[in-house]
Amino acid sequence: MARPGHTCRCGRGCRTPESVVRTIALILVVAALLAGVLGILGPWWSFQEASFGHFGQYTGTLDWGLVSSTYSPPPIGTPPRTSNYTNLPHIGGVLSGAAVLSVLSLGFGGGLILTMVPAWRRDWFRFLGLALGAAGGAADFVAAFYVMSALPGAAETDLRTITSFVSITSFWGSGSGGNFDFHIDLVWGPGWAWYAAVVAGILLVLAGIARWRGWVLPSRRTGSPSTERSEAPPRQRP
């Protein structure tokens, strides 16, 4: 830590542990916001499907996102298929609730950044930053675990054409079934965006803690390196 009137050998003021923590807080919250945006855009639940029947054979992935679901590639003989959950009300309801929580988390993260603006320096902002980080992290965690617990039941209700052969009772799983002219194998689990939401929540909590420890970002320095000189005390005559 630099003493008053002391300059580092590099010609700039030394970075204090507090300033390092403040920088870490900013990096964490920016990374959390990036992960949160990716979580909103990507798939939260994915099905790996392999089926065959009178229509031929199909192997592909069904991704469930907060806004829509997509077949990749689409089933044989069909155009590229994207659903906005109009015909899947239970699944759409669960994912819409998660989308609202994810957007709230982004808002809390944006508020956490605002508490770091030097022009709005207030001592109590560090406690506000801690609260915003905790609230944003909680929103992401609730969204992730709400989807994990509620989506299998919603899929069991909406996907009768699939669940009549394969029962979907958990967020992770696999199964197979069929009849005399049709067979399907399914493997399902969380998509990468679900993990991104969990990571975003963890980063927001850590950013709030770092914000509380590091006060405001960046700290202002008085004087310039060229004008900061250490002066030796005058000698006293005996």
Side-chain angles (χ1 to χ4, degrees), residues 23-76:
T23 303
I24 292 173
L26 183 60
I27 293 173
L28 287 172
V29 71
V30 170
L33 292 176
L34 178 60
V37 170
L38 292 176
I40 292 176
L41 299 177
W44 281 53
W45 207 26
S46 294
F47 281 21
Q48 302 291 330
E49 176 185 347
S51 58
F52 62 87
H54 63 277
F55 54 83
Q57 188 172 358
Y58 171 72
T59 301
T61 301
L62 175 58
D63 290 324
W64 306 90
L66 296 183
V67 179
S68 63
S69 64
T70 304
Y71 275 111
S72 177
I76 297 172

Side-chain angles (χ1 to χ4, degrees), residues 87-103:
N87 299 321
L88 304 171
H90 298 87
I91 293 175
V94 172
L95 293 172
S96 295
V100 171
L101 290 170
S102 296
V103 171

Side-chain angles (χ1 to χ4, degrees), residues 149-164:
S149 61
L151 201 52
E156 190 76 18
T157 302
D158 286 345
L159 303 177
R160 291 297 185 184
T161 56
I162 294 177
T163 57
S164 59

Side-chain angles (χ1 to χ4, degrees), residues 2 8 16 19 25 39 42 54 64 69 74 89 94 96 122 124 140 191 198:
C8 291
T16 64
S19 67
H54 63 277
W64 306 90
S69 64
V94 172
S96 295
R122 300 290 187 277
W124 56 270
D140 279 325
V198 175

Side-chain angles (χ1 to χ4, degrees), residues 6 8 10 12 22-23 35 38 57 71 79 100 121 123 132 179-180 186 197 209 214 222 231:
H6 177 73
C8 291
C10 61
R12 295 177 296 179
R22 292 194 294 266
T23 303
L38 292 176
Q57 188 172 358
Y71 275 111
V100 171
R121 182 174 183 141
D123 289 347
L132 289 171
N179 52 28
F180 65 93
L186 281 180
I209 294 173
T222 58
E231 298 179 357

Side-chain angles (χ1 to χ4, degrees), residues 86-171:
T86 302
N87 299 321
L88 304 171
H90 298 87
I91 293 175
V94 172
L95 293 172
S96 295
V100 171
L101 290 170
S102 296
V103 171
L104 281 177
S105 176
L106 292 180
F108 288 131
L112 178 53
I113 289 181
L114 292 179
T115 67
M116 302 179 188
V117 176
W120 298 343
R121 182 174 183 141
R122 300 290 187 277
D123 289 347
W124 56 270
F125 268 22
R126 61 176 181 150
F127 298 104
L128 178 60
L130 177 63
L132 289 171
D140 279 325
F141 295 148
V142 170
F145 287 102
Y146 172 58
V147 167
M148 182 178 69
S149 61
L151 201 52
E156 190 76 18
T157 302
D158 286 345
L159 303 177
R160 291 297 185 184
T161 56
I162 294 177
T163 57
S164 59
F165 301 108
V166 180
S167 180
I168 301 173
T169 58
S170 63
F171 198 53

